[in-house]
Amino acid sequence: MMNVSLIINGETVTAPVEPRTTLADFLREQHRLTGIHLGCEHGVCGACTILVDDEPVRSCILFAISCDGADIRTIEGSNSDPVIAALQDAFTEHHGLQCGYCTPAMLFTARDIVNRLPNADEDRVRLELAGNICRCTGYAGIVRAIISVLEVQRATIEKRGN
Amino acid sequence: MKAAKFDYKKTSDLAEAVTALTSIEGDSKVLAGSQSLGPMMNLRLARPDRLIDIRDLEPLKAVTQATDHLFVGALVTHANIEDGTLPDVTRGMMVHVAAGIAYRAVRNRGTIGGSLVHADPAGDWPAALRALGAHIVIDGPAGSREIRISAFQQSAFTVTLEEDEIVRGVRLPILSDAARWGYYKICRKPGEFAESIGAYVYDPPSRVARLVLGGTEAAPLLLESAAATIAQTDGTRFDTEAASKALIETGEAFDPFKLRMHAVALQRAVAQAYST
């Protein structure tokens, strides 16, 4: 066992961990952050995506011990994130989820699109979502939700510019 | 789907990392972005006794431009490159290749050094950097050495790197304004590992013309004579039939399905290079 220090949803935590424990398992099992979901455990399904140092990453293929000093955000700690809030409302309005298994991770990827690619069109949104698999919705509602948030953001920026 | 037990060591000292690789008993592997090694360990395809975490090695994060090359440190991530943070010495090719690797969440951690050393035949950097003619800078107990990428890449998942060596970074040539490049990746879904990659680089002033096939079951394959012909004819006669012929002439065995796919990837890469 080794000690790892992380900031988890704003709280500094130091805890013992086995090197082989993934960041996902460490957060889920030691800290009950079960909004992180496991699908494939090899980085392709996207269900485990959380924020590390404000960027979306795959928590299933990172070892917790290698994230010493990192600033971690899971969906449980995202209540005051305005982009996540806007996306959650949009997902509700545009039917962007059914079972919800892909949703926390989908929100983090969507947040990355909204923040990093403010001028994204539908094709670009779909491209950026390629790494988050959804088995329920067929993606249409998810894409509509993200575009609606992008459009509001663009309109707000345009209004401010005038 | 959980990794086997291993020991973990992190160091910010390059000499210490190099020493640690062979000085401690057991099988050690270098950990950088964890985006290739993580899945392999979860699937238990890799079971090292120890991981040496090199993410704090500052010399491997350097990006320095000289008159005739750009040094890109091994720890530079695909996202760094995708975002255009590097000086553009390849006329946009590096950005284009980076953007097609896996997904943003993976690109945020995956490194160019890791990709090259992992040497997955279906990976992007091995083929792209082969086409660019990069050099690999390697650190070991005896100091630093440099090797052409053609000598570095041996076969699938196999590179010329001793157990006690670490890749420090790559040296990229600076393409002239007259250079052309094309990079075409065939995969069923964006970001997936490639079924086939065609990569073409032509730089008239330095008389360089390279046509590379990736996505084989071995190291990236250079099609030397085909590249020369393409350069001489401005790519006008390189259709899929010509590409197939070039592939057959290499003497490598391709089944009809793969042959077709590879021919299309090569033809589209060349077409892209000459489309402007």
Side-chain angles (χ1 to χ4, degrees):
Chain A
M1 293 289 242
M2 301 177 76
N3 274 336
V4 66
S5 273
L6 308 157
I7 305 168
I8 303 175
N9 292 327
E11 192 194 321
T12 305
V13 168
T14 302
V17 71
E18 268 197 84
R20 70 175 175 149
T21 302
T22 62
L23 182 63
D25 283 338
F26 174 72
L27 295 169
R28 282 172 50 82
E29 296 183 15
Q30 259 63 269
H31 298 278
R32 293 288 186 266
L33 296 167
T34 53
I36 300 165
H37 298 150
L38 300 176
C40 69
E41 289 188 292
H42 60 279
V44 301
C45 79
C48 71
T49 308
I50 59 173
L51 296 181
V52 171
D53 298 333
D54 207 39
E55 291 179 333
V57 301
R58 302 288 205 235
S59 60
C60 72
I61 52 176
L62 293 177
F63 297 110
I65 191 67
S66 75
C67 297
D68 196 75
D71 185 358
I72 315 273
R73 276 285 153 192
T74 71
I75 199 67
E76 292 88 344
S78 296
N79 286 340
S80 35
D81 184 321
V83 176
I84 294 282
L87 285 163
Q88 284 168 327
D89 286 345
F91 269 52
T92 306
E93 189 181 332
H94 296 280
H95 208 47
L97 73 154
Q98 292 180 27
C99 80
Y101 200 77
C102 73
T103 308
M106 197 64 84
L107 287 169
F108 284 128
T109 299
R111 173 189 185 272
D112 177 62
I113 295 169
V114 169
N115 285 338
R116 185 172 54 91
L117 304 165
N119 294 318
D121 60 7
E122 183 176 332
D123 281 350
R124 188 62 190 269
V125 170
R126 285 179 175 276
L127 182 69
E128 296 292 326
L129 289 176
N132 287 80
I133 296 176
C134 174
R135 298 295 283 128
C136 296
T137 66
Y139 305 98
I142 296 169
V143 171
R144 272 198 303 270
I146 295 170
I147 288 174
S148 76
V149 172
L150 283 166
E151 282 175 350
V152 167
Q153 184 174 257
R154 289 195 277 258
T156 309
I157 291 168
E158 211 183 296
K159 220 169 143 191
R160 283 203 202 120
N162 288 345
Chain B
M1 301 299 286
K2 308 294 180 187
K5 262 183 123 170
F6 60 89
D7 293 330
Y8 172 89
K9 182 184 172 65
K10 189 171 195 176
T11 176
S12 53
D13 182 73
L14 183 52
E16 200 186 327
V18 164
T19 311
L21 280 172
T22 48
S23 63
I24 317 169
E25 214 188 293
D27 185 30
S28 292
K29 272 204 84 65
V30 163
L31 181 71
S34 201
Q35 303 303 285
S36 290
L37 197 50
M40 288 185 74
M41 290 179 69
N42 283 353
L43 291 165
R44 300 211 176 182
L45 295 170
R47 296 182 62 152
D49 297 309
R50 180 172 314 99
L51 292 185
I52 313 288
D53 190 331
I54 61 164
R55 271 169 47 88
D56 278 354
L57 295 185
E58 289 304 315
L60 275 61
K61 300 181 193 176
V63 176
T64 46
Q65 184 163 1
T67 38
D68 65 341
H69 72 265
L70 179 74
F71 173 79
V72 181
L75 288 174
V76 172
T77 65
H78 314 317
N80 290 152
I81 299 172
E82 174 188 11
D83 291 346
T85 61
L86 268 52
D88 184 18
V89 301
T90 62
R91 309 202 74 212
M93 182 177 177
M94 294 289 284
V95 171
H96 174 87
V97 171
I101 298 173
Y103 321 101
R104 183 69 181 189
V106 171
R107 298 197 289 276
N108 280 331
R109 300 293 280 210
T111 65
I112 189 167
S115 164
L116 280 171
V117 173
H118 183 57
D120 190 324
D124 290 86
W125 290 127
L129 294 179
R130 182 73 179 89
L132 282 165
H135 287 74
I136 317 293
V137 180
I138 296 167
D139 282 315
S144 214
R145 70 185 177 96
E146 199 174 295
I147 185 175
R148 300 177 105 98
I149 192 167
S150 53
F152 183 71
Q153 295 172 332
Q154 284 187 36
S155 66
F157 305 104
T158 313
V159 294
T160 313
L161 193 70
E162 298 302 317
E163 268 177 31
D164 56 2
E165 289 184 314
I166 293 175
V167 168
R168 184 200 288 221
V170 298
R171 283 205 303 114
L172 304 176
I174 297 180
L175 297 182
S176 75
D177 288 341
R180 292 177 176 278
W181 62 267
Y183 186 86
Y184 194 88
K185 178 175 173 178
I186 296 180
C187 51
R188 290 169 72 186
K189 196 186 84 159
E192 275 188 331
F193 281 109
E195 303 258 18
S196 183
I197 294 172
Y200 176 73
V201 174
Y202 174 49
D203 200 8
S206 50
R207 309 265 201 94
V208 154
R210 286 188 203 93
L211 181 66
V212 171
L213 178 71
T216 63
E217 286 168 26
L221 182 65
L222 184 76
L223 294 104
E224 272 189 275
S225 52
T229 311
I230 292 163
Q232 281 153 22
T233 54
D234 277 343
T236 49
R237 283 183 236 146
F238 195 71
D239 55 12
T240 46
E241 209 187 298
S244 292
K245 213 161 154 259
L247 284 165
I248 292 164
E249 269 162 23
T250 63
E252 299 289 328
F254 298 110
D255 72 57
F257 176 70
K258 284 300 250 182
L259 181 68
R260 175 68 186 181
M261 199 135 31
H262 291 324
V264 168
L266 292 170
Q267 180 268 320
R268 289 184 184 178
V270 170
Q272 184 193 355
Y274 287 94
S275 64
T276 45

